[in-house]
Amino acid sequence: MPAKKDIPNTLITAAMKLAAEKSWHDVTMIDIAQTAGLSVAECYDHCRSKGDILRKFIYKIDREVLADLEDEDFDEPGHDRLIAVMMARFDALAAYRPALRSITDVHGDLGPADQLRAIKTHFGSMRWMLDAAGFRTGGLHGSLRIAGLTGIYARCFKYWLDDTSTDFGPTMARLDRELSKASVWDARVEKGLGKANKLCDRISKKYHRFAAKKSAPSDQTNSTQSPETGDNAPASSS
C-alpha cells in the first residue's frame, strides 16, 4: 500500500489511467480503488466521489505550475507572464490528454452539486494563475478578470485537446489572441470602475456636507436654549 500522504496522488493516477482506457462515465469509485491497490474504505477517507478526484487533480496541476515559477519570470510584461503561466499549465496537462478527452466528453460526469463545486474550483485556479502572472485579483475588477480568464481557458482548453503540434504553438497563438482581446476590455473596465468610484466619492462627500448643514441649526438651537425649570428656575416678581 502506498504511503498515506501519497494516497490522493495514487487515486488521481488510477483515475486518469482508467479514464484514458474507457469512458469516464463508466469508471466507478470501486474501479479507481482497485486500480490504485487500495481498499474502498481507504479511498473513501481521501475522496468521496469522482468529482473530488477531479478537484484534487486540478489542485495538483496548480501546484506543479506554481512550483515551476522563477523570480525572473516576474520581470516580464504581464501579458507575456500570463501566456507563460497558462502554457505551463497545458504542458503539465499534456500527459493526461487522453484521459481529459474522456472526461470532457461527458462533462466530467458531474451532478448539479459537483458542477457548482467544479466552477468554484476553476475560478480559484484561475485566480492563482492571474496572481502568478502579477495581476491584481481583488474586488469587483479582480472578480471580472477571474471570470474572463476562466472563459478564455475553457475555450483554449478545448482547442488544445485537438492540437497535434509538438510544442502546442497553435494553442499558444489562440491564447495570445484571446488575451489580447481581453486586455482591451480589461482596460475599459478599469477605466469605467475608476470613474464610478470617483462619482461615488463625490456623492458621498455631498451627502456628508448636506447632513452636516442639516444638523448644524439644530445643534445651535439646543445650545442657546435655557433649560431652567422647576426648583432651579428664578422666581417671577409679583
Side-chain angles (χ1 to χ4, degrees):
M1 186 184 76
K4 188 172 182 179
K5 66 178 181 180
D6 293 331
I7 287 180
N9 282 332
T10 302
L11 289 170
I12 289 171
T13 300
M16 294 297 111
K17 179 179 182 296
L18 289 168
E21 294 172 352
K22 58 182 179 179
S23 171
W24 179 242
H25 176 72
D26 295 329
V27 176
T28 68
M29 292 300 293
I30 305 298
D31 295 334
I32 294 171
Q34 291 176 342
T35 302
L38 300 168
S39 69
V40 177
E42 288 168 332
C43 178
Y44 175 83
D45 287 340
H46 295 272
C47 294
R48 305 296 174 88
S49 66
K50 293 195 295 183
D52 274 352
I53 292 178
L54 293 180
R55 283 189 291 276
K56 290 182 184 297
F57 173 71
I58 291 172
Y59 297 148
K60 170 184 168 69
I61 296 300
D62 290 344
R63 183 68 174 79
E64 289 182 14
V65 172
L66 296 173
D68 284 341
L69 291 176
E70 298 180 359
D71 291 340
E72 53 266 25
D73 294 334
F74 298 100
D75 296 329
E76 299 177 2
H79 177 85
D80 295 342
R81 287 200 309 270
L82 189 53
I83 288 179
V85 168
M86 297 304 290
M87 289 309 300
R89 187 176 191 85
F90 287 124
D91 288 339
L93 290 169
Y96 306 100
R97 192 150 59 162
L100 294 173
R101 285 197 187 97
S102 173
I103 292 168
T104 55
D105 282 346
V106 293
H107 306 288
D109 199 28
L110 301 174
D114 275 329
Q115 286 179 352
L116 292 175
R117 294 190 191 101
I119 292 171
K120 181 180 178 181
T121 299
H122 278 96
F123 268 57
S125 179
M126 292 302 104
R127 178 190 294 276
W128 271 107
M129 298 302 102
L130 283 164
D131 284 334
F135 289 89
R136 293 189 299 273
T137 57
L140 175 59
H141 190 191
S143 296
L144 292 173
R145 278 177 170 167
I146 294 166
L149 183 60
T150 301
I152 290 172
Y153 174 65
R155 292 190 293 274
C156 290
F157 178 83
K158 291 179 181 179
Y159 187 84
W160 167 81
L161 283 175
D162 297 322
D163 186 351
T164 58
S165 64
T166 56
D167 60 354
F168 303 137
T171 298
M172 184 167 69
R174 173 72 178 267
L175 178 64
D176 186 19
R177 290 194 300 270
E178 293 268 6
L179 291 177
S180 294
K181 292 178 183 177
S183 66
V184 176
W185 285 103
D186 184 70
R188 291 175 180 174
V189 168
E190 185 171 24
K191 184 177 180 181
L193 289 175
K195 290 181 178 179
N197 287 333
K198 289 179 180 178
L199 178 60
C200 289
D201 287 340
R202 288 199 298 269
I203 293 173
S204 178
K205 289 177 181 178
K206 287 182 178 179
Y207 168 77
H208 288 301
R209 285 198 298 267
F210 174 79
K213 289 180 180 179
K214 195 74 173 174
S215 62
S218 176
D219 293 343
Q220 186 176 4
T221 301
N222 291 336
S223 64
T224 57
Q225 286 179 344
S226 176
E228 296 174 338
T229 58
D231 296 338
N232 295 326
S236 58
S237 55
S238 54

